[in-house]
Amino acid sequence: MWTELLPIGRSSVSGGYRRYAWSGADLECRAWFRAQAEERGLTYEVDRNGNQWAWLGDPAAGGAVVTGSHLDSVPDGGAFDGPLGVVSSFAALDELRERGAALDKPLAIVNFGDEEGARFGLACVGSRLAAGQLTKDKAHELRDADGVSLPQAMERAGYDPAAIGPDPERLARIGAFVELHVEQGRALDLSGDAVGIASAIWPHGRWRFDFHGEANHAGTTRLEDRRDPMLSYADTVLAARREARAAGALATFGKVSVEPNGVNAIASLVRGWLDSRAADQETLDRVVAGIEAAASERAARDGIDVRVTRESFTPVVEFEHALRDEVAKLLGGGVPVLPTGAGHDAGILSASAPTAMLFVRNPTGVSHSPAETAAEDDCLAGVTALADVLEGLACS
Amino acid sequence: MWTELLPIGRSSVSGGYRRYAWSGADLECRAWFRAQAEERGLTYEVDRNGNQWAWLGDPAAGGAVVTGSHLDSVPDGGAFDGPLGVVSSFAALDELRERGAALDKPLAIVNFGDEEGARFGLACVGSRLAAGQLTKDKAHELRDADGVSLPQAMERAGYDPAAIGPDPERLARIGAFVELHVEQGRALDLSGDAVGIASAIWPHGRWRFDFHGEANHAGTTRLEDRRDPMLSYADTVLAARREARAAGALATFGKVSVEPNGVNAIASLVRGWLDSRAADQETLDRVVAGIEAAASERAARDGIDVRVTRESFTPVVEFEHALRDEVAKLLGGGVPVLPTGAGHDAGILSASAPTAMLFVRNPTGVSHSPAETAAEDDCLAGVTALADVLEGLACS
């Protein structure tokens, strides 16, 4: 199963994955999902938002136990973030069938579209649309770096962008959603466990800082005549680290775009994207406000006009305690429960249905990188744990 | 003449010019040059390095008076940088013919290819090749951002990349080269003069700083586990301004490239390009060494591997004093003589033939930007000055 998925969208240069929503690589991943569903005799369907579902049993029966994750990637991402959850879902189903488990409830495997937001800048588009957390109008305004809009991209991929929107009836079928994911930190490595359970997702968001200056010749313009936005940007990058460290939070500038981006031209515009997260809302607000204040102060000194736009935001998600405790019981106790800074479709869905997450140990903690990894034994332990949870939830 | 040239390669978004070497816009500019030459009955030729020449009189006679500049642009450049020199050359020739000037020496107008280096990262490629300051092998290694090599780009544009190389016989025809250029600072504006004469070009170069870190998830990686190259880059940008200010020099980071450049991914690689210039070699060396030391110090703290590559370098150019004094005499005295921080083909050629430069007032000093400008009266004064100089040099 892995073998067919592994080469799709992999860069021969970086070794990382470039599976952007609605791209050719994404369509290949989607074809793989459909083939896996059909090989197993599952009922395959695509919802109005382009999320893929594979059903065992009657969806209309209600109270379904749903598992799955996503197949798209960040730029030069690793092989596990997303795909491990989908592959483990199919493998867990295979294990349940081998066990001869008698399921009382329908079971579904889902692949949510555009989880990483690598192409259009907004994460979890597929689950957000379904849960009504992203409107059709806002979604239609999304554009990629080449100016292609989300509706155009969907249309080119053979999907109908006019159909997108909230899907409460489909979500109402879900009795419980369990997402398995490779851990994106080293907590399980440090505690010595193969599998863990999520307690909460930190509140997190993306802010775009636009520093507008004046293009000019780098070789002839006196320092005192310059309005160089690169200086304000640089100072803000350092301020972000300072504010995050002081608050025990996270703040990162990982994406930049510069105009005109010529070696001998002072930039006219530097756009930097801030990703920031913290354990609670108040801390996050304080960190972002501190970074904005530092940016404004420096921009004023540099003669720069700075504008900050919040491009996305997800409040804290506390996974349902009843489901979390049941999952812990099904795994026999002693499984660590830990929070995460990363957003997930399970976080989005938690507002619509009981959700839980399982994490599989990541020995280096490296994530969103070709170096991301997980040991085969741990992946197999994850499949067994997921099968145990699905069986427990689906057999009343 | 201007009217036909103005729309070529102009972005409807920025209003700036994108006339990159061997691109469609560049080829349109070249067609314009050829048409101007042929309309005036000049002998048109393209040399082995793709530079265009328009001859009045017999090139083989020797001691030619040559004028001209370039037609390519930086990304989103202005209308005057380069084209003003070429347009003024044709206009000055028209004025000489109206005057009925009897020239004793051949006269040529030249358009040097790829002066700005916007596409392949190296400035003055056409004149460097001709003067033997860039080898054919090195030139063949140049690649643009899409991985297209210089030979491929030349070939696609219908030129023969196998022919490029030193052209001493052609340069030996030149008795004097005079380049007219819009000023790229405000010295003439501050002194109240329409036209000035160049004394020297500051030594200048481009250095690429590669900061190698480790890609990781921006939402889950603890600050202490990160190796984030954006921090080292940001600190180096601020160090560059500090070092330049302390030394009375110039240092600019105007171009950046980030991998993977995702909002929720810590960068694995940040490449920043430094442009630095100073009045003398010793000062420039000190400034660049100071920036490199600051980069290394910060990189060590951030766990980053930093590598610095000098991509191009042009030593100080002191324009020939005899020609400079003759030009000043031909303009009737009282014309200011000033240095510039910008590189020019005239600087490259100064090693092969006597060269001089005329500057036309730039009321805002803005350069390498769509806002670059020059008053019509000043441009006409520039044409008259150039005609005076050409007439004086060509009539013995």
Side-chain angles (χ1 to χ4, degrees):
Chain A
M1 183 159 45
W2 264 121
T3 326
E4 298 151 30
L5 191 59
L6 276 177
I8 302 175
R10 188 168 199 175
S11 160
S12 58
V13 179
S14 64
Y17 289 90
R18 299 173 182 176
R19 293 168 175 165
Y20 308 139
W22 310 113
S23 69
D26 190 35
L27 295 182
E28 285 185 68
C29 289
R30 287 167 174 271
W32 171 90
F33 182 94
R34 181 178 189 156
Q36 295 301 324
E38 290 175 349
E39 271 174 33
R40 287 170 178 78
L42 305 174
T43 308
Y44 172 76
E45 61 175 20
V46 180
D47 69 22
R48 55 190 300 186
N49 297 303
N51 306 307
Q52 297 180 295
W53 301 77
W55 285 91
L56 177 68
D58 178 14
V65 176
V66 182
T67 182
S69 189
H70 65 93
L71 293 174
D72 70 317
S73 80
V74 294
D76 287 327
F80 297 87
D81 182 345
L84 182 65
V86 179
V87 168
S88 298
S89 297
F90 284 114
L93 175 67
D94 295 344
E95 190 165 325
L96 289 182
R97 283 176 160 169
E98 272 180 39
R99 290 182 194 174
L103 308 182
D104 304 320
K105 295 176 185 163
L107 191 141
I109 298 172
V110 61
N111 167 33
F112 284 110
D114 200 3
E115 197 268 350
E116 296 288 5
R119 182 165 178 188
F120 298 102
L122 179 67
C124 300
V125 168
S127 56
R128 270 184 217 272
L129 280 169
Q133 294 179 28
L134 170 66
T135 66
K136 181 177 174 176
D137 287 354
K138 284 276 176 201
H140 275 217
E141 285 167 19
L142 296 173
R143 282 180 185 279
D144 71 10
D146 296 325
V148 178
S149 71
L150 176 67
Q152 286 169 331
M154 285 186 76
E155 208 153 21
R156 286 178 199 172
Y159 289 75
D160 176 14
I164 65 173
D167 208 349
E169 284 153 34
R170 194 172 311 264
L171 298 191
R173 298 170 176 173
I174 305 175
F177 176 63
V178 181
E179 180 172 2
L180 177 146
H181 203 281
V182 66
E183 199 201 343
Q184 297 172 289
R186 289 181 55 216
L188 293 174
D189 183 55
L190 296 171
S191 70
D193 295 280
V195 175
I197 300 170
S199 59
I201 299 178
W202 283 14
H204 57 278
R206 299 173 173 193
W207 290 261
R208 197 182 76 229
F209 285 64
D210 294 348
F211 298 95
H212 291 268
E214 185 181 43
N216 218 326
H217 195 301
T220 56
T221 314
R222 299 184 307 167
L223 297 181
E224 52 268 42
D225 291 337
R226 297 180 176 211
R227 292 172 48 218
D228 184 351
M230 193 68 83
L231 298 170
S232 308
Y233 169 71
D235 202 60
T236 305
V237 167
L238 299 176
R241 169 56 73 102
R242 263 198 319 274
E243 294 289 331
R245 194 191 305 111
L250 298 174
T252 312
F253 281 92
K255 180 176 176 179
V256 189
S257 128
V258 179
E259 290 176 17
N261 211 30
V263 181
N264 57 356
I266 298 163
S268 58
L269 170 63
V270 177
R271 285 208 155 105
W273 280 263
L274 169 69
D275 179 299
S276 189
R277 317 186 185 217
D280 60 77
Q281 183 70 49
E282 192 198 325
T283 307
L284 181 58
D285 289 346
R286 200 170 68 239
V287 167
V288 175
I291 298 168
E292 288 194 36
S296 296
E297 189 272 328
R298 175 73 196 209
R301 275 201 283 148
D302 292 334
I304 298 302
D305 176 32
V306 60
R307 284 172 227 167
V308 182
T309 310
R310 193 178 83 174
E311 289 196 335
S312 72
F313 184 74
T314 308
V316 65
V317 171
E318 187 82 24
F319 288 109
E320 209 207 42
H321 290 202
L323 179 61
R324 190 183 81 192
D325 294 346
E326 193 175 350
V327 167
K329 211 177 71 187
L330 290 168
L331 294 181
V335 176
V337 178
L338 42 123
T340 173
H344 295 285
D345 294 311
I348 303 295
L349 287 195
S350 67
S352 308
T355 62
M357 289 191 74
L358 297 181
F359 292 127
V360 170
R361 172 161 52 192
N362 179 331
T364 62
V366 170
S367 171
H368 284 192
S369 151
E372 172 189 274
T373 187
E376 194 178 337
D377 280 356
D378 290 348
C379 293
L380 293 175
V383 169
T384 302
L386 182 60
D388 291 347
V389 169
L390 296 178
E391 184 174 6
L393 294 175
C395 303
S396 50
Chain B
M1 183 159 44
W2 263 122
T3 328
E4 298 152 29
L5 190 59
L6 276 176
I8 302 175
R10 188 168 199 175
S11 159
S12 59
V13 179
S14 66
Y17 289 90
R18 298 174 183 176
R19 293 169 175 165
Y20 308 137
W22 309 115
S23 69
D26 190 35
L27 295 182
E28 286 185 65
C29 288
R30 289 168 172 271
W32 171 91
F33 183 93
R34 182 178 189 155
Q36 295 300 324
E38 290 175 348
E39 271 173 33
R40 288 171 177 77
L42 304 175
T43 308
Y44 173 76
E45 61 175 21
V46 181
D47 70 22
R48 57 190 298 185
N49 298 304
N51 306 306
Q52 297 179 295
W53 301 77
W55 285 92
L56 176 69
D58 178 14
V65 177
V66 181
T67 182
S69 190
H70 65 92
L71 293 174
D72 69 317
S73 80
V74 293
D76 288 326
F80 296 88
D81 182 344
L84 182 66
V86 179
V87 168
S88 297
S89 297
F90 284 114
L93 175 66
D94 295 344
E95 190 165 324
L96 289 182
R97 282 175 160 170
E98 270 179 39
R99 288 181 194 175
L103 308 182
D104 302 322
K105 293 174 185 162
L107 191 140
I109 298 172
V110 61
N111 167 33
F112 283 111
D114 201 3
E115 197 267 352
E116 296 288 7
R119 182 165 178 187
F120 297 103
L122 179 66
C124 300
V125 168
S127 56
R128 270 184 216 272
L129 281 168
Q133 294 179 28
L134 170 67
T135 65
K136 181 176 172 175
D137 287 353
K138 284 276 176 202
H140 276 218
E141 285 168 18
L142 295 173
R143 283 181 185 278
D144 70 10
D146 297 324
V148 178
S149 72
L150 176 66
Q152 287 169 329
M154 286 186 76
E155 207 153 21
R156 287 176 198 174
Y159 289 76
D160 176 15
I164 66 172
D167 207 350
E169 284 152 34
R170 194 172 310 264
L171 298 191
R173 298 169 176 174
I174 304 174
F177 175 62
V178 181
E179 180 171 1
L180 179 146
H181 204 281
V182 66
E183 199 200 342
Q184 296 172 289
R186 289 180 57 216
L188 292 175
D189 182 55
L190 296 171
S191 71
D193 295 280
V195 175
I197 300 170
S199 59
I201 298 178
W202 283 14
H204 58 277
R206 298 173 174 193
W207 290 261
R208 195 182 77 229
F209 285 64
D210 294 349
F211 298 96
H212 291 269
E214 185 180 42
N216 217 327
H217 195 299
T220 55
T221 315
R222 298 185 307 167
L223 297 181
E224 53 269 41
D225 290 337
R226 297 180 175 211
R227 291 171 48 218
D228 184 351
M230 193 69 83
L231 297 170
S232 308
Y233 168 72
D235 202 61
T236 305
V237 167
L238 299 175
R241 168 58 73 100
R242 263 197 320 274
E243 294 289 332
R245 193 192 304 111
L250 299 174
T252 312
F253 281 93
K255 181 176 176 178
V256 188
S257 128
V258 178
E259 291 176 16
N261 210 30
V263 180
N264 57 356
I266 298 163
S268 58
L269 170 62
V270 176
R271 285 207 154 105
W273 279 263
L274 168 71
D275 178 300
S276 191
R277 316 185 185 216
D280 59 78
Q281 184 69 50
E282 193 199 326
T283 306
L284 181 58
D285 289 346
R286 201 171 65 240
V287 167
V288 174
I291 299 168
E292 288 193 37
S296 297
E297 190 271 329
R298 174 76 196 209
R301 275 201 284 149
D302 292 333
I304 298 301
D305 175 32
V306 59
R307 285 172 226 166
V308 182
T309 311
R310 194 176 83 173
E311 289 197 337
S312 72
F313 185 74
T314 309
V316 66
V317 171
E318 188 81 26
F319 288 109
E320 208 207 42
H321 289 204
L323 180 60
R324 190 183 79 192
D325 294 345
E326 194 175 351
V327 167
K329 212 176 73 188
L330 289 168
L331 295 181
V335 176
V337 177
L338 43 124
T340 174
H344 295 285
D345 294 310
I348 303 296
L349 287 196
S350 67
S352 308
T355 62
M357 288 192 75
L358 297 181
F359 292 127
V360 169
R361 172 162 51 193
N362 180 331
T364 62
V366 170
S367 170
H368 284 191
S369 151
E372 172 188 272
T373 186
E376 193 178 338
D377 280 356
D378 290 348
C379 292
L380 294 176
V383 169
T384 301
L386 182 60
D388 290 348
V389 168
L390 296 177
E391 184 174 6
L393 295 174
C395 302
S396 53

